[in-house]
Amino acid sequence: MNRPVHVITQAEALPEHLEEVGRVLVEAIELARQEEGCLRMDLYHDAKRFLLLNTIECWESQEAHHRHLNSPLIARTVLQLVGKMKGLPDIRTLSPMSEFNA
């Protein structure tokens, strides 16, 4: 049975590139929302650490998320962000706690 996949991605923009990183990510998210299997995708900054950016995503299935990660959109976005981010993004796939009690 396919269950929705919830993902949080966290990355830190370099201060001098924050505005450009924001533009790139907003555009990428708008396009990702149109992808097959995308149920939700939103962009947030950390309230205390403004350079720390987070996407919160929900995908129809693991397969839909895998397609997204391997899409031309992600490849293009990564290329646009090279040198503008501190380190690599931290991508976390979440499972509901209720699944552990089943």
Side-chain angles (χ1 to χ4, degrees):
M1 167 168 87
N2 276 338
R3 294 178 187 238
V5 174
H6 301 268
V7 179
I8 296 176
T9 301
Q10 189 175 74
E12 189 170 347
L14 294 173
E16 64 272 22
H17 296 291
L18 179 59
E19 189 175 322
E20 182 179 358
V21 167
R23 279 195 308 272
V24 168
L25 291 176
V26 166
E27 177 185 325
I29 286 172
E30 288 174 4
L31 294 170
R33 286 175 176 158
Q34 299 170 30
E35 291 181 24
E36 181 181 347
C38 181
L39 301 176
R40 183 174 186 129
M41 183 175 286
D42 298 299
L43 177 65
Y44 300 89
H45 68 84
D46 188 284
K48 292 183 181 178
R49 294 177 53 202
F50 201 76
L51 298 173
L52 199 55
L53 305 171
N54 300 272
T55 61
I56 299 178
E57 312 167 33
C58 185
W59 295 89
E60 234 173 35
S61 64
Q62 187 63 44
E63 294 78 22
H65 184 241
H66 183 75
R67 278 194 311 271
H68 167 68
L69 290 176
N70 291 292
S71 69
L73 171 62
I74 291 298
R76 185 179 80 228
T77 301
V78 167
L79 287 174
Q80 290 176 306
L81 295 176
V82 168
K84 297 174 178 77
M85 306 296 290
K86 182 178 179 182
L88 297 173
D90 180 19
I91 302 171
R92 298 178 184 204
T93 302
L94 308 175
S95 296
M97 290 294 290
S98 59
E99 286 185 11
F100 294 114
N101 298 324

